[in-house]
Amino acid sequence: MADGDERSMLGRAFLLLGSFTSDRPRLAQSELSRRTGLPLPTVHRLCRQLMAHGALERTDDGSYEIGVQLWELGSLAPRAHGLRQVALPYLEDLYEATRENVQLVVREGLEALYIERLSARGAVTVVGRAGGRLPLHASSGGLILLAFGGGELLDAVLAAGLERFTPATITTEHRLRSTLDDIRRTGWVMCREHLNVGTLAVAAPVSRSTGEVVAAVSVVVPAEKDPAPLIPAVRAAARGISRGVA
């Protein structure tokens, strides 16, 4: 098979795998065809091949879901796995101190990708989940990553549009730039009901010794809580993780 054909097949396979989301973790072949724009026979062939390699699994109702083999491969990704190993003791300490939602996020494109979450039973309900994604401008961890991501990233986020999730979501360029300036000056951010009504989030950056910000630590609590005690706790956790990041 020619190189071009191989790349085309690989591209179609990733297009199909990218159709699965946290909202739709199970999809039928007809849905995969609609989402990818690929002909149904092509989807059928790709699904069969991906199942053979453990990348897809078939459910009892005939639909498909992501296979365990992809999870095993994904767990080897150094940016997530290595960082998570370093961060977990500090995240656990922060969790014990707050008994709420503690999160570790990295940037993937124009989104914040949650690579770890610790959450107590009865903790305030939040949108994100481990392995899930949220827009950078609307989440506390995302704003941290955006603040230190450079001008090109900010331009791309603005060009994509600032979606509103609650009345408090940042949806104007002026307010976003002002917030990012404050983050760079203080080293933390507090977001009250930016993404979920009834929640308050505090986040701080995780950085390499070079100063490059590679992740963010955040904690999400009920909106009526006083954020003052959370700020030093989150910043201390972020500093601890930063000391262990290569």
Side-chain angles (χ1 to χ4, degrees):
M1 181 180 290
D3 287 346
D5 291 338
E6 290 176 355
R7 283 195 296 268
S8 178
M9 180 178 293
L10 184 61
R12 290 196 296 267
F14 272 94
L15 182 64
L16 188 147
L17 292 171
S19 298
F20 294 89
T21 67
S22 59
D23 294 331
R24 296 300 306 274
R26 292 185 177 184
L27 295 170
Q29 285 190 10
S30 58
E31 294 174 293
L32 288 167
S33 179
R34 286 196 300 271
R35 287 176 173 235
T36 60
L38 296 173
L40 197 56
T42 301
V43 169
H44 176 75
R45 184 171 65 254
L46 286 171
C47 285
R48 189 173 65 249
Q49 292 170 342
L50 289 168
M51 282 182 59
H53 292 284
L56 283 182
E57 294 177 1
R58 196 167 188 180
T59 64
D60 292 340
D61 64 2
S63 59
Y64 293 87
E65 59 188 12
I66 295 295
V68 173
Q69 178 68 15
L70 281 189
W71 178 84
E72 291 178 328
L73 290 173
S75 69
L76 300 176
R79 190 157 67 99
H81 179 65
L83 179 59
R84 181 181 174 277
Q85 281 190 316
V86 170
L88 203 52
Y90 299 97
L91 298 178
E92 289 173 343
D93 287 346
L94 185 58
Y95 166 78
E96 290 297 330
T98 61
R99 305 302 293 182
E100 287 286 353
N101 300 284
V102 173
Q103 302 163 148
L104 180 69
V105 303
V106 297
R107 183 173 70 84
E108 185 66 25
L110 302 184
E111 296 174 303
L113 173 66
Y114 289 75
I115 62 174
E116 185 56 84
R117 163 174 286 164
L118 303 178
S119 184
R121 181 177 297 175
V124 65
T125 302
V126 294
V127 169
R129 63 174 183 83
R133 300 180 182 219
L134 293 171
L136 294 176
H137 75 282
S139 58
S140 59
L143 283 168
I144 292 289
L145 298 169
L146 184 55
F148 298 98
E152 289 187 5
L153 175 61
L154 177 56
D155 289 343
V157 167
L158 291 170
L162 305 178
E163 181 181 355
R164 182 184 297 276
F165 293 88
T166 74
T169 304
I170 297 173
T171 56
T172 67
E173 179 177 349
H174 174 75
R175 185 181 170 204
L176 181 59
R177 289 185 181 275
S178 177
T179 300
L180 300 181
D181 287 342
D182 287 343
I183 291 171
R184 287 187 284 266
R185 176 175 55 82
T186 64
W188 58 274
V189 68
M190 189 276 289
C191 300
R192 192 184 300 273
E193 299 187 318
H194 283 203
L195 190 62
N196 305 71
V197 172
T199 66
L200 178 150
V202 174
V206 173
S207 58
R208 301 186 191 277
S209 58
T210 59
E212 176 193 4
V213 171
V214 294
V217 175
S218 66
V219 60
V220 184
V221 302
E224 62 271 16
K225 280 203 172 184
D226 179 8
L230 300 173
I231 297 167
V234 172
R235 297 190 73 189
R239 286 194 299 268
I241 299 168
S242 295
R243 287 193 293 270
V245 174

